[in-house]
Amino acid sequence: MERIKNLNKTTRSHIITFAIVIVAFVVMQALIAAHAVSHSIIGLLVPICAYVCMSISLNLVVGISGELSLGHAGFMSVGAFSGLVVASSLNTSINSAPLCLFVSIVIAGLFAAIAGLLVGLPVMRLRGDYLAIVTLAFGEIIKNLLNNLYVGMDNKGLHFSMKSVQALGMEGGKMLIEGPKGAVGIPQLSTFVAGFILILFTLFVVLNLIGSRTGRAIMAVRDNRIAAESVGINVTKYRLIAFVVSAALAGMAGALYAMNFSSIAPKKFDFNTSILVLVFVVLGGMGNIRGGMVAAAVLTVLPEQLRFIGDYRMLIYSVVLIGVMIVTNNPKIQRALEDFKGRFRRRGNKAAQAVDSLEGGVSDE
Amino acid sequence: MTNNGMSRRNFVKLSGIVAAGLGLAGCGGSNQSSGSSGGSSVGSGAGAIKIGGIGPVTGATAIYGNATKFGAQVAVDLINKEAGSTVFELNWQDDEGDAEKAVNAYNTLMDWGMQVLVGTTTTTPCVAVASKTSTDRVFELTPSASSTDVTAGKDNVFQMCFTDPNQGEKSAEYISKKNLGKKVAVIYNNSDAYSTGIYNGFSKVASGLGLEIVSTQTFTDDSAQDFSVQLNDAKSKGADLVFLPIYYTPASLILQQAKNMGFAPKFVGCDGMDGILTVQGFDTSLAEGLVLLTPFVASASDENTVNFVKAYKELTGTGEDPNQFAADAYDCVYAIYAAVKAQNISASTPTADMCNTLLKTFGSGTFTYSGLTGKDMTWSSNGEVSKDPKGVVIKNGKYESLDAEA
């Protein structure tokens, strides 16, 4: 107790964030073991994990670095497709599924990071609306490139083409990515446990980055670019760091996502998916990692749990979005929440003090 | 108290939102339950076989999903009426044409207790769902997912429609057999698996059949508004026939733009073209002389088709003719019914046993079914259907069979 109390506020907040994830995981595992959850929830677990990772990684760009990026699904798709090529080609030589998944997720992250760097170098010289438009365009470019990408594998190894299947010149073998058709017959390696570990990893990277010297520099650039520049912070460099790390994490989430389904098409990672992830972040509160995670989980489950009302679920979904926006932005409601929190905190502090004095009296540490 | 956080006005706003939400939930709920609960209460005695359906009821491809949904519903209603008891119970779930949503829909149906799956309507979701049904041992018959990947490597998945390459080859054969044109221009959607699949099949056999492809032009979903470049290329290369293996929405634009630039070759489409006459705001005179290959024609005069069209119009209440997708879904349900009757399958048969019996029946090669979309259809054990395409030409705003005319 004493030790936790002595930790600084951010560290304590980080521990709570990790604890929420771990508790949620343990509770879900227990429920699954007890057969208390439906097929539909179990089927949603891996997509939820992937979306939570996406939300955390986009939060790094939108919330922490303060840039509006509208092309995050592009990095997800780079990760998804590079990951599945790796997984499909290693599937026969690596027997252990978790190891194969691990290798492909790592390589997916690398490829997405490279894509992030290539996009980021020109883009990070822009600001505000321009940045939003250019990221949107890059997201679309990535989608269209993947729409024309053909990858096949035969005895000689991997073949790449931007034209057609025939241009690959394959001798038998099998197609891994087939242009607009995307990939089919993907090894389904993703598991809930893998998703959970990926969330922990993503959280670890992002939270540590935020707390580091680099993170403080990134936030300084966000808060006042001129002031940050005047104290010698390399603005482009720090914005680029946030952008590339975020792209890499999105790529990893993409690989996890792709390997949960046996088919995936480039069309999936369009502008709508980018906006979906942005909605998670905005709804959870920009810069609020925990809120973004909860929003991702809730907004993924909500449309599925509303299936019983048919097409009206589309309406409810948007009503919920608008409702949350109005409620959280209402100053009076915000004040009420703060009051409530304050009262809770005061009472909590009193209780803690009481406990402390008791403990002190009994055990005298 | 100063910290009374919520004013009266805000309270009213909030409760308005909540009430609106509840109201929608309420009316939605009653809508849906009338379909499914009615079925289960009637069929409680003998027990109805639970058929699940998956297809896009909302989103960009909703028109196909709705057609398959209503087509399947018509078949289920007719079967139940004929039999005098509830043989089948249908539960249709929306997948928005997306693989992730389709798997979610599949899991929802598994919670409901689905025993046979009719779906999914579109290809990419179907591949994802097929790998699930294959591991869970649920029999799957798709009305319209036409890629070969749908059935590859799965013994429990069968198709009611042609595969894409197969359709491309059949189209080329048909064009050369009927002498519709020699110099062919192709405009296809290279961001779409269906369109690319047909084109690949078509281009593979075209030259062997004496067709010269003079121009191959592509577009994507995002650039499906302006086709002047593609049409100009076809025109300047002297094409006398333009093959459009695409869906009808972009095709309606192509016809309009071709007319505006005074380019009047023969246009030939595939089954995705079916429905072009129902596009809102489309001048149907533009489609005069358009040839399309489709397994189903709503204007056919045989008894089954007439009954189906009538029941379909009653069910949808829009007065629109059913398209090929609806007919495929109808045939799916009836083909399953034929197999169920032949094998004495009942609702109490475990799903895995039902799957094994059905896949053996369908894959035996001796099981034939005659329906709206073909006579004496058979299936190979890899799940592909074999049936003949019908050529249709649009005359006076109506489909007319080209085979009868010739």
Side-chain angles (χ1 to χ4, degrees):
Chain A
M1 198 75 201
E2 197 70 17
R3 205 170 291 162
I4 290 175
K5 270 189 71 187
N6 283 344
L7 290 173
N8 67 38
K9 210 176 144 199
T10 39
T11 320
R12 213 183 321 159
S13 158
H14 291 183
I15 289 174
I16 293 172
T17 312
F18 279 109
I20 290 174
V21 176
I22 293 168
V23 167
F25 172 74
V26 171
V27 168
M28 269 325 290
Q29 286 290 44
L31 285 175
I32 293 170
H35 297 287
V37 279
S38 61
H39 274 96
S40 104
I41 294 287
I42 294 176
L44 280 171
L45 290 174
V46 176
I48 288 176
C49 289
Y51 284 131
V52 166
C53 292
M54 285 299 290
S55 160
I56 299 170
S57 81
L58 186 62
N59 224 327
L60 183 59
V61 173
V62 175
I64 309 303
S65 174
E67 324 280 4
L68 188 57
S69 167
L70 299 178
H72 219 52
F75 301 119
M76 192 181 180
S77 68
V78 169
F81 284 95
S82 52
L84 68 89
V85 166
V86 173
S88 305
S89 38
L90 290 184
N91 205 22
T92 43
S93 46
I94 299 182
N95 281 324
S96 146
L99 183 64
C100 186
L101 181 68
F102 174 76
V103 172
S104 46
I105 284 183
V106 169
I107 295 180
L110 278 176
F111 270 91
I114 293 169
L117 188 68
L118 290 178
V119 174
L121 281 174
V123 164
M124 280 302 144
R125 286 156 209 282
L126 301 169
R127 265 184 277 180
D129 300 349
Y130 302 103
L131 182 96
I133 293 166
V134 176
T135 49
L136 192 159
F138 270 106
E140 291 297 299
I141 290 173
I142 292 175
K143 188 186 88 184
N144 281 324
L145 283 177
L146 286 170
N147 256 338
N148 288 297
L149 176 68
Y150 293 83
V151 180
M153 189 179 65
D154 61 8
N155 296 331
K156 288 183 181 160
L158 290 171
H159 298 256
F160 296 88
S161 163
M162 291 299 285
K163 280 196 190 121
S164 66
V165 180
Q166 287 83 3
L168 289 173
M170 300 236 302
E171 300 160 3
K174 70 168 185 171
M175 293 300 299
L176 300 181
I177 301 176
E178 217 171 318
K181 248 188 191 174
V184 292
I186 307 164
Q188 285 164 278
L189 303 171
S190 295
T191 58
F192 183 35
V193 179
F196 164 68
I197 295 170
L198 189 63
I199 292 180
L200 288 186
F201 174 76
T202 310
L203 268 180
F204 178 78
V205 169
V206 171
L207 292 181
N208 272 304
L209 181 65
I210 294 172
S212 70
R213 190 189 156 87
T214 314
R216 288 194 294 278
I218 292 170
M219 284 186 278
V221 173
R222 171 193 68 187
D223 292 338
N224 193 324
R225 185 187 168 109
I226 296 168
E229 244 171 340
S230 74
V231 294
I233 290 176
N234 183 343
V235 172
T236 310
K237 177 184 153 194
Y238 284 104
R239 291 166 84 207
L240 194 60
I241 288 175
F243 195 74
V244 172
V245 169
S246 167
L249 293 172
M252 292 174 145
L256 177 82
Y257 179 87
M259 273 175 275
N260 186 48
F261 302 103
S262 77
S263 80
I264 199 108
K267 220 186 256 181
K268 168 72 198 167
F269 304 102
D270 59 358
F271 178 59
N272 288 336
T273 309
S274 296
I275 293 296
L276 181 74
V277 179
L278 189 64
V279 167
F280 297 155
V281 172
V282 174
L283 202 66
M286 289 199 211
N288 183 346
I289 305 278
R290 228 182 284 159
M293 285 162 53
V294 174
V298 169
L299 290 186
T300 312
V301 173
L302 191 68
E304 292 308 317
Q305 294 308 305
L306 288 173
R307 265 184 189 280
F308 66 93
I309 56 169
D311 295 351
Y312 293 97
R313 71 183 195 282
M314 304 279 173
L315 283 174
I316 301 262
Y317 187 86
S318 31
V319 168
V320 168
L321 287 187
I322 297 168
V324 172
M325 297 282 176
I326 292 175
V327 169
T328 50
N329 279 318
N330 187 312
K332 286 186 179 140
I333 295 177
Q334 274 173 345
R335 205 179 336 132
L337 267 177
E338 279 305 309
D339 282 350
F340 179 72
K341 267 190 204 161
R343 221 177 289 161
F344 184 73
R345 203 169 293 146
R346 244 173 283 141
R347 210 174 292 156
N349 282 350
K350 259 181 215 159
Q353 276 165 11
V355 169
D356 279 352
S357 61
L358 263 180
E359 275 181 350
V362 175
S363 65
D364 204 14
E365 277 182 282
Chain B
M1 286 272 282
T2 47
N3 60 358
N4 181 12
M6 202 185 286
S7 73
R8 197 182 300 155
R9 193 183 296 165
N10 283 322
F11 180 74
V12 171
K13 267 190 211 162
L14 249 189
S15 41
I17 292 167
V18 172
L22 287 178
L24 286 171
C27 62
S30 62
N31 250 357
Q32 191 75 2
S33 60
S34 62
S36 55
S37 71
S40 59
S41 64
V42 175
S44 55
I49 295 176
K50 291 183 166 179
I51 296 187
I54 302 174
V57 183
T58 57
T61 47
I63 193 150
Y64 311 115
N66 275 315
T68 42
K69 176 186 171 184
F70 287 126
Q73 188 64 54
V74 165
V76 167
D77 290 348
L78 285 177
I79 289 171
N80 289 346
K81 213 167 94 185
E82 275 170 29
S85 65
T86 313
V87 181
F88 288 140
E89 195 185 327
L90 180 72
N91 183 346
W92 195 276
Q93 290 293 333
D94 184 17
D95 69 359
E96 299 167 35
D98 180 71
E100 181 194 344
K101 298 276 160 55
V103 171
N104 293 342
Y106 169 77
N107 284 324
T108 307
L109 286 171
M110 287 304 277
D111 288 332
W112 171 68
M114 169 175 66
Q115 290 166 298
V116 179
L117 175 63
V118 172
T120 67
T121 305
T122 47
T123 295
T124 310
C126 196
V127 179
V129 169
S131 86
K132 289 270 171 197
T133 58
S134 169
T135 35
D136 293 347
R137 305 313 297 164
V138 178
F139 183 77
E140 179 175 356
L141 181 59
T142 169
S144 49
S146 49
S147 162
T148 46
D149 301 314
V150 170
T151 52
K154 292 142 211 151
D155 58 352
N156 65 317
V157 185
F158 289 80
Q159 286 167 320
M160 185 51 81
C161 54
F162 296 114
T163 62
D164 297 331
N166 194 343
Q167 188 170 181
E169 290 167 23
K170 293 256 182 192
S171 303
E173 279 169 25
Y174 198 87
I175 290 170
S176 97
K177 204 171 79 186
K178 298 270 166 185
N179 235 344
L180 296 174
K182 283 277 172 249
K183 290 187 157 188
V184 182
V186 186
I187 302 176
Y188 74 98
N189 180 348
N190 69 347
S191 69
D192 183 67
Y194 163 81
S195 195
T196 315
I198 296 181
Y199 167 70
N200 285 336
F202 184 86
S203 63
K204 210 168 73 186
V205 297
S207 60
L209 292 161
L211 302 174
E212 187 195 348
I213 300 182
V214 290
S215 151
T216 304
Q217 293 290 317
T218 61
F219 65 96
T220 69
D221 285 336
D222 303 317
S223 64
Q225 276 83 36
D226 182 22
F227 296 96
S228 47
V229 175
Q230 290 91 331
L231 286 167
N232 269 321
D233 188 71
K235 194 180 176 186
S236 65
K237 301 266 173 66
D240 55 3
L241 185 146
V242 178
F243 181 53
L244 303 172
I246 54 178
Y247 287 125
Y248 60 80
T249 317
S252 63
L253 293 171
I254 289 182
L255 292 177
Q256 176 73 58
Q257 288 168 16
K259 195 193 173 200
N260 290 351
M261 57 190 271
F263 180 43
K266 201 158 192 74
F267 286 100
V268 176
C270 290
D271 55 3
M273 192 73 84
D274 187 16
I276 191 160
L277 295 177
T278 59
V279 175
Q280 279 183 350
F282 176 66
D283 179 6
T284 50
S285 69
L286 289 172
E288 281 302 303
L290 173 73
V291 175
L292 54 130
L293 286 183
T294 171
F296 169 74
V297 192
S299 63
S301 54
D302 62 294
E303 195 194 335
N304 279 338
T305 308
V306 173
N307 285 343
F308 169 64
V309 172
K310 190 168 148 262
Y312 184 89
K313 282 184 176 170
E314 270 169 22
L315 185 70
T316 57
T318 53
E320 274 173 21
D321 277 342
N323 59 16
Q324 172 251 143
F325 290 85
D328 276 329
Y330 172 95
D331 273 355
C332 281
V333 176
Y334 262 98
I336 291 169
Y337 184 51
V340 161
K341 269 204 300 199
Q343 301 294 329
N344 277 327
I345 293 171
S346 76
S348 54
T349 315
T351 307
D353 294 348
M354 198 184 282
C355 172
N356 276 331
T357 319
L358 284 173
L359 76 88
K360 273 185 199 137
T361 315
F362 272 84
S364 64
T366 53
F367 175 75
T368 60
Y369 165 74
S370 295
L372 301 176
T373 62
K375 289 229 172 339
D376 299 325
M377 295 181 229
T378 55
W379 282 265
S380 62
S381 56
N382 67 5
E384 287 176 16
V385 71
S386 116
K387 59 181 178 186
D388 283 326
K390 290 177 192 165
V392 177
V393 65
I394 295 178
K395 269 201 185 139
N396 304 324
K398 288 260 178 230
Y399 291 136
E400 259 178 42
S401 176
L402 199 64
D403 302 309
E405 184 191 310

